[in-house]
Structures are given as structure tokens and as C-alpha cells.
Amino acid sequence: MSYNIADLQRLKEFYEHQLLKDTVPFWFPRSIDETYGGYLFMRDQDGTLIDDDKAVWIQGRAAWLLSTLYNTVEQKPEWLAGAKSGIDFLNNHCFDTDGQMFFHVTREGKPIRKRRYYFSETFAVIAHAAYAKASGDESAAEKARYLFGKCIEYATTPGLLPAKFADTRPSKGIGVPMIMINTAQQLRDTIGDPRCDEWIMRWIEDIKRDFVKDDIQCVMEQVAPDGSIIDHIDGRTLNPGHAIEGAWFILHEAQYRNNDPELIALGCKMLDYMWQRGWDKEYGGILYFRDVYGKPVQEYWQDMKFWWPQNETIIATLLAYTLTGKEKYAQWHKMIHDYAYDKFNDKVNGEWFGYLHRDGRVAQTAKGNLFKGPFHLPRQEWYCMQILKNYLK
Amino acid sequence: MSYNIADLQRLKEFYEHQLLKDTVPFWFPRSIDETYGGYLFMRDQDGTLIDDDKAVWIQGRAAWLLSTLYNTVEQKPEWLAGAKSGIDFLNNHCFDTDGQMFFHVTREGKPIRKRRYYFSETFAVIAHAAYAKASGDESAAEKARYLFGKCIEYATTPGLLPAKFADTRPSKGIGVPMIMINTAQQLRDTIGDPRCDEWIMRWIEDIKRDFVKDDIQCVMEQVAPDGSIIDHIDGRTLNPGHAIEGAWFILHEAQYRNNDPELIALGCKMLDYMWQRGWDKEYGGILYFRDVYGKPVQEYWQDMKFWWPQNETIIATLLAYTLTGKEKYAQWHKMIHDYAYDKFNDKVNGEWFGYLHRDGRVAQTAKGNLFKGPFHLPRQEWYCMQILKNYLK
């Protein structure tokens, strides 16, 4: 099969409809915390609040989303005001005295937990950058650039943050170069920064050199510092949806660089390898974890279907299709799109369930918690709209 | 239904057979590491090694098991030698220079990870105490008593170990008084220690006062320092199998104290409350997590069936039956026993699978990993033998 122009037009309209009539209205305006600022996202399937705590990652991600909608879809004042609420909450409550950000705070903004990595910071970068573009607020732009510099420092200075593991068996994860690529891309796409181009290519080179294994057709989730496979349970654990997210970050870069053929080849290869590893031939959808050699995976939820690997795969397959025109990618896109909107989308209350059993039954009903909020799904719907809008031009 | 003497005799023989002909032979002698000492327990269903790392908790637990078999079942020289291998590995490789123990080490004993709690230490206490009794080694007895003192210090000195959470919303878990009760009971039952009786009663009092909620018929997994329920996702999360394990530690104490009626009532009440919360009426077995108010549980594996909650419930129901003679407990024991030996026991290779989906299908096949090894299952089979032997006398 392939997609013709009418198919792609329909797909664009579908994503636009879902984003603006189903996903965004589930979260807004009710999640804006009019009392303390920021957002109240920990909600059950029908929108009932199950916890008023705030996950700092998701506060930043949502401020990014609202700013991005304002920048690219429509200049709605409530989106800009909503973004400002998140930005202010981040700045007033989510930084510790040592400059690091918290991970989890109370509704009022008191710290519950700080973690030993800096993903709160990367999401604060994209939030501030998109908000600076939307509002013209120069201090937000400065904050984005300053925090991006801090992230580079954390990413390149071993020992700057406390270690979780001893030095016996050093390892590095694909998560760091991935998140840094995407952070730099967002910064560049909104307010621009002279550091981005060079750093993006360095991090892509890291992934290509150390994580992509052509001999076994695989993208590793973690490796030794020299890129070798660590043949222990953790080192063997693959996260196909995550690697596929990395694939589309690289395809996005290919598109930015005038459809650079080497980057297209790299991104498509990563998608190919991890589709084979992650697609569930029995029930459909992308499985959470796999072992590189087929041994038992320790993480308990390894064969569940989470929402976000499906979102990332919908993006990656669509982008691979629009960049290469290969029928295979249209076919994969249709498979993952049909599966995901059938199984995850809540036809009664809107938005998606987050956690399905392997066979597609809903495992638990929360729409938002410490780890899920308005990010992967609305980003997918928004970005697929953009891909298709550009392609159809 | 109830159990008659012939039923109980058959049960005793069944547990003895399973322990000595099925469970122990799966692990030993093949898991003794003849090169570096300690044990190689990370094995797939057929016994194939999937990782040669060593989990420090399980090194201690296995040295306890082998010593206990030697002390109470038969004085087999290979059990004593096997126990010594684990004791030596713990002492040679599992302590950091600050006196704290590691959580995860390599086969050679180099540190991979240290954690912010002291469960490695509690298992080292019971290992050294049981081994001291088996071997007569006075230095092992001293080590057990010294480490027990350290555990009391950790348990009673806030701030002695680094905190995972900020001070905004202080909480305490039932895990600390539970593990300390059991550690003290094991120490007392093997080499004796004058501190045990008093500390055990204090920790039981902590559980009774702060974690057992009669108004809602529930045993909380964590509470605020004053015992109030923390109405946030983590604070609402119940772990029925864990609370039921706590119930039988208290029933064990009741038995030790000449069938103390108050302790019997407390243990049975905890079992009653958490059987109602945890027993899966649809598929059988004890579910992993529940929310106290029936809201969505965040932990992804919340409705899976793990091996150890079933083991703890088999013990608790049998002990409740032998202490009270109530038919209800015989019935519950038969339900959980029949379910668990049907679904978890691997009829081909022996031992139990660790991780089932809610409906009883095997989710992954490992018999051993960083968290599973020869402990909950052989302890259950051994302790049920002891309960029945005493009862039938």
C-alpha cells in the first residue's frame, strides 16, 4: 500500500481534529492552577483530579506545548496566558538553591524529590524558548539559553551530578544525546542559538558511532563508554519506542539540512531495526522492553503497551515516509496509527489511556500522573500536522 | 471446609517434598561460585545463567537458607560449606569502606550499586546468625550482633542515611518495622540476643498504632510520621502481600509468646483486611498493588501476580489456621496454596516462575535476577513444614 494526496490530506485533518477537539480540551482550561500557578495534571480517565502534586518535567512540557500551539497554530490569548502560568511556576518554585531543578513538587511548589539527572532542565529549556518566541519576553529567552548551557555542562562533565552507580562498570545511555538533540532543535526552531547546529551533529555522531549496531541490526539503549555491549541484564535491555523517538529526531535534522541523505539513511535504519525488535506481531503496537539476545527482561512491565512509544512510532514512520516515499513506511504508519487510535484513544472522555496490557486491555485508567501528562500525544498530533502541512505544500 | 489431621500431614509432606526435591535442587549445588565464592543465582527457567552479577540481599538470604536447612532439617556438610561460601563473599566483598553494604556487585565482588537503605544489612544479620549456630563460629555471631546494632541505629536515627525525598512531606514505611521484627526473631531463634524481645514489641506497637486502620479495615504501606494517611498517589498505594507478610511475623511472635491472644488478634486482623484488599476474585492469587480508595495505581505492574506475595499468604493463612482453628483460614490457605502451586510451580524444571500476568500467564521466565532468588519460596516451604511439625506434635 501507499498513501495518495487525499489520504495525506485526510490524515492531516484527523490529527488536527484530534489535537484541537479531543486532546487539548481534555487538559485545558481545567488544568491551569488559578491559585498557585502551573498545572494540575494528575487526573483519572474522566478528568477527576487524583493528586494535586506537580511533576516538574510535565510542567515544562505543557508550557512548551501551549507556547508552541500559540506560535504555530493560532495566537489564542488563553494559550499564551496558560504558558505563562507554567513558566512562572517553574521559575518561582522548581529550582533548588544549588541551581538544579526538582523532579516532583507539591501543588504549592514545595519540593518532594530531586533526581540525579537533568531532564527537568531540558524541558525547562524548550518551555522558555517557545514561550520567549510567543511572548517576546527577553528574560525567558535568556533563561532558555542559560539553562541550555547548564545542560551541556551536565552532559559533558562527568561527576558534576551525583552518580547512581559505582565506577566498576561504566555505561552511558542513548537518552542523553537524544534529549539534547531535541532540546537544541527546539531552541533553534524558536529563538535560535549559535551553539545548536554543532552540538546536534556531535550528539548524532555519538549515537551513530556507539549505539547503532549494524552487525546485529539494533539500537542499544545503553552501552559501555567505548560503545561495546554490556552483556548483563541492564546492558542488554532495549527500549524500541525510545530508539524510534531518537530515529525521528535524526530524520527531523535531515529535513532541516535539506533532506541530507546520510541522516535520512541513519534515521531510517534506526527505525527499521527497532520496528523489527519492538512491533508486536501478535497483538500490534510497540512493546516496552526487549532483550537484545531474547533473554528474559527484568523490568516487570516489559511486555505492556504504553502510550508514548506508539506516539513516537507514529511520528517516525510518517516522517520516514514523507522523506523517502517508501511504501513500507506508509504501511507501518498505517499499522501503528490504526492500532494506537483504536486501543488507546478514550472514545468517551477524550485523550488516551496510558497503560495497556500486551493484548490491548486497559491496565489502569489514569490520564495523568507523575509520568504522563499532555506531551507525547499532543506533540505527535501537532508534529504530524506540521509534517503533512509541509509535505502537501 | 476445614483441615483434618491427615490433610495436615499430607501438607507437611508436600512442603517437605517440594523444598527438598524441587526448590533446593534447582539452585544447589550449581549456584555455588567455586571461583569467587558466593552464589550465581541469575538464571532462566531451565537454570541457564543469564547474568553473573550478584544481588547482595540474595547472597545473604541464601546463606541464611543453607544454614537454616543445616540447623533444622539435616546436617549436610554441603549445606554448611555452601553457607560458608556466601558468608565469606559477604565479608570479603559486600561492605563499603564507610561500613555500609552494597546492593549489587559483580561476580568478582566489585561494587555496582549502593542504595539508601539497609536491607542488605538485615539479610546479613540473619545469614551470620544462622551460620554462627550451624558452624559454632563465634566471629559470625559477633558480626550478626554488631550488624543488628547498626540496623537499629539506621532505623532510629533520622538523617543517618541520605534521604531520597525532601522534608516537605515526611513519611514512613511499614517495611522498616517489619524487616526489623523478622531480623530480631531470626537472631533470637538462632544465637539469641538480649535486645530482641523488647525491640520486637516496640516495632509491633509501631505497626499497630500507625499502620493498621480499623475504620477502613486496611494496613497502610506508608503513612505520615503521626500515622495519618497521606492522600497522594504514593501514600494511597497498598501492598497487600507485604502487609500479609507483616501479619505472619506478628503471628510468629504470638506463637513465641505462648499464643498471646492480643498478638493473634492483631496478626489475624491484618491478614483479614489485606486478604479482602489483595485477593483477586476473578483469577485468584494476591494482586501486587491496590489504591486504598480504589483510584488508579501508578506502579505499572500493579495487577500482576508476583511469586512472593503468594508465598507470604500461604504462610500467613496456615499460621492463622493453626493458631485459631478457624475454618476461614483453612479455606483461604487451600485457595492460595492450590492457586500458587498450579500457576507458579514450573513442572518441567522445578522452582517457581516469578512474574505472571493477572490471568496467570507467565510474563517472563527468569527464576533468578536482581530481585528473585532462593528465599521467599524455600522459606515458605521450610516454615510451613515447621508450623505443621509443631502443630502435629
Side-chain angles (χ1 to χ4, degrees), chain B residues 199-213:
Chain B
W199 275 109
I200 288 170
M201 290 313 291
R202 277 205 226 176
W203 286 312
I204 291 177
E205 186 55 34
D206 281 356
I207 290 175
K208 184 178 160 186
R209 184 187 61 236
D210 290 336
F211 294 91
V212 179
K213 304 294 178 199

Side-chain angles (χ1 to χ4, degrees), chain A residues 110-125:
Chain A
K110 293 197 187 125
I112 297 282
R113 191 173 175 195
K114 191 156 86 169
R115 300 190 75 162
R116 288 172 277 200
Y117 45 81
Y118 49 94
F119 285 11
S120 291
E121 281 82 349
T122 64
F123 297 118
V125 171

Side-chain angles (χ1 to χ4, degrees), chain A residues 51 53 111-112 168-169 232-233, chain B residues 51 53 111 166 168-169 232-233:
Chain A
D51 198 325
D53 282 355
I112 297 282
T168 302
R169 187 185 295 150
H232 290 274
I233 291 171
Chain B
D51 198 324
D53 282 354
T168 302
R169 188 185 294 149
H232 290 274
I233 291 172

